[in-house]
Amino acid sequence: MTAIVVLGSTNMDLVAYVARAPRRGETVPGRAFRTIPGGKGANQAVAAARAGGDVAMIGAVGTDAFGELLRHTLQVSGVDTDLLHTADGPSGTAHIVVDDEGGNAIVVVPGANGTVTALGPGDEALVATADTLLLQLELPLSVVVEGARAARRHGVRTVLTPAPARPLPSALLAAVDLLVPNEHEAALLTGLADPDAAADALLRQVPEVVVTLGARGCLYAHRDGTRIAVPAPRVTAVDTTAAGDAFTGALAVALGEGRPVDDALRWASCAAALCVRREGASVSMPYRPEIDTAYATGGETSDDRPPATLTAGTATAAVGSPAGPLSDPEIGSAS
C-alpha cells in the first residue's frame, strides 16, 4: 500500500435544496436538507483510502457534534486521524443552497480549519513517512507552504489542488511536484481559457500538471514535452460535488503504486465517474473493487480511442498575461 498524508480541511456541508435561491431579504421554502461530511482535505483522504491507500489526515475539527461526525467519517473509511487535532469551538461548515437548475450559492465558514496555521508536533514526522502529500487551499496558506516545504525536505511527492483558486506564492510552487487544477482554476491562475495554453503557462511554475476537464476528461502535461489526453467515461451524473477530489485521491494511489501515468489517469477517471453517480461529497467516494471493475471493463466512454500522447504544445503565453490571471508579486517563472 502506498502511504499518503493529507494536510487539509474538514467541513460539514449543510445543503438546502430549493426551487430557486432567495433574493436579498427574501425567504423561500426548501424541499430538502442534508448534512453531509465534506471539505476538500477530508474528501481526498476518504477517496485515497477507499482506493487502497494507507492514508493519514492532518488538520482540525471542532469540539461540536460536527467534529465528532467528521472524525468518525474519516475513521470508518480507514483514514488515520491521530493527528487530526481538536480545536476549541465549531468545526468548519459549508452552507450551500442548491436550486432546481443545478445552480448553487455557498458560504464557507472555516471554523477549526482556520486554527491550522502551522504544522504541529509530530506533523512533519508523519509527512516524512509518506510517499505522497496531498494539499489544497482551504487551510491558511502559511501551513500549506510549510507542509509542502516539509515534504520537499524529505523527498515526498507533493500534489496540490489549487482550490479555492487564489494567487500561489513562489515559495509554494517551488515545493510542488504535481498541480491538479480544474479547467476553471487553471484559467484563473493563468488568464488563459484554453487548457493546453494554461498547462504550458503552469509548467513554468511546476514540473507536472493535470488539468481536469469535467465530462471531457483530463489533460496531463510534463516539462519534458509529454502530453496525455484521457477521455472521461460516459455516465449520467447525479451530483458532481467532489468529483475532482475523487480523481486526485485515486490518482495519488495509482502513482504511488508505480502505475504508468496514462494508466493512472484512466484509473483515476473511473473513480471520478463512479463518484458523480451518487449524491454527496465524501460519502460518494468509490471503493477500490468498484474502480478496478470499471477500469477492467473499460466502460462506455465519450471516446473509445486510447489516450493520445502528444508533443509539446505551441502556446507561449506566460503567467501574467493581459487576459486577467490571478497575480501575486511572488509569482515568477520557474526554471
Side-chain angles (χ1 to χ4, degrees):
M1 297 175 69
T2 184
I4 296 170
V5 171
V6 181
L7 173 59
S9 60
T10 58
N11 289 326
M12 186 60 71
D13 294 345
L14 309 176
V15 188
Y17 297 89
V18 298
R20 64 173 181 82
R23 292 184 290 269
R24 186 174 184 178
E26 182 184 21
T27 299
V28 299
R31 58 179 172 77
F33 175 79
R34 296 189 67 192
T35 302
I36 307 170
K40 294 196 72 63
N43 291 343
Q44 292 185 7
V46 172
R50 291 185 177 184
D54 180 7
V55 182
M57 179 85 186
I58 298 173
V61 296
T63 50
D64 54 2
F66 288 158
E68 296 178 6
L69 182 54
L70 289 166
R71 186 182 296 275
H72 176 72
T73 299
L74 290 163
Q75 290 173 339
V76 297
S77 291
V79 177
D80 182 337
T81 62
D82 286 351
L83 291 181
L84 179 64
H85 309 291
T86 300
D88 288 336
S91 300
T93 52
H95 305 255
I96 307 170
V97 175
V98 180
D99 63 36
D100 283 349
E101 294 182 357
N104 62 62
I106 305 173
V107 176
V108 176
V109 181
N113 296 308
T115 69
V116 188
T117 57
L119 295 180
D123 288 351
E124 181 165 348
L126 179 61
V127 169
T129 67
D131 300 308
T132 303
L133 174 68
L134 295 182
L135 298 168
Q136 319 80 35
L137 299 178
E138 289 187 337
L139 294 182
L141 191 57
S142 57
V143 74
V144 177
V145 173
E146 188 179 353
R149 285 175 161 173
R152 179 54 54 90
R153 283 194 294 273
H154 297 285
V156 175
R157 179 201 294 265
T158 300
V159 178
L160 171 64
T161 301
R166 58 176 297 175
L168 301 179
S170 56
L172 175 57
L173 291 166
V176 170
D177 297 298
L178 174 62
L179 191 69
V180 188
N182 64 30
E183 58 187 316
H184 307 295
E185 291 152 1
L188 286 169
L189 290 169
T190 65
L192 301 168
D194 178 70
D196 280 284
D200 282 332
L202 292 170
L203 287 176
R204 296 186 175 92
Q205 312 296 326
V206 297
E208 296 177 273
V209 176
V210 177
V211 181
T212 59
L213 307 172
R216 293 181 289 120
C218 64
L219 171 69
Y220 169 85
H222 193 284
R223 279 181 178 166
D224 66 7
T226 301
R227 289 289 166 96
I228 303 174
V230 173
R234 183 181 293 128
V235 298
T236 300
V238 173
D239 185 349
T240 60
T241 303
D245 295 328
F247 176 89
T248 302
L251 182 63
V253 171
L255 293 175
E257 293 175 350
R259 295 183 184 228
V261 173
D262 59 347
D263 181 68
L265 293 169
R266 280 193 173 278
W267 197 75
S269 295
C270 288
L274 289 164
C275 171
V276 303
R277 295 172 179 171
R278 305 162 184 167
E279 291 184 344
S282 62
V283 294
S284 68
M285 300 301 169
Y287 289 89
R288 187 181 185 108
E290 299 175 278
I291 305 171
D292 284 340
T293 297
Y295 180 78
T297 58
E300 184 182 18
T301 67
S302 56
D303 184 345
D304 291 332
R305 293 172 296 177
T309 301
L310 309 176
T311 58
T314 58
T316 58
V319 172
S321 72
L326 295 176
S327 60
D328 185 282
E330 290 190 89
I331 290 180
S333 295
S335 57

